[in-house]
Amino acid sequence: MKKCLKQERLDELETLRVEAAAKARLSNFDPAQAISHDDMRARYAQETLTVN
């Protein structure tokens, strides 16, 4: 098997692993427990200020 073909196969396997993980996470996703994007940005902005 050529090196580039082997790498393509490895990349495909990694993509399938990522998709499986995403599906597993989405099956347990509860929108009521989700944090808004603005809340997340505010939370990380505070942590960055505290760390620096």
Side-chain angles (χ1 to χ4, degrees):
M1 188 180 295
K2 289 185 176 181
K3 190 171 185 176
C4 62
L5 184 56
K6 183 177 180 180
Q7 186 59 50
E8 285 179 23
R9 298 279 193 242
L10 291 172
D11 291 346
E12 186 176 350
L13 284 173
E14 180 63 19
T15 299
L16 291 172
R17 281 192 280 269
V18 169
E19 285 180 11
K23 286 180 182 180
R25 288 181 180 179
L26 285 174
S27 69
N28 296 321
F29 178 71
D30 180 4
Q33 299 294 320
I35 300 171
S36 75
H37 185 252
D38 290 336
D39 290 343
M40 186 62 70
R41 290 181 64 187
R43 179 183 294 178
Y44 282 104
Q46 289 175 352
E47 287 181 15
T48 301
L49 292 174
T50 305
V51 172
N52 292 330

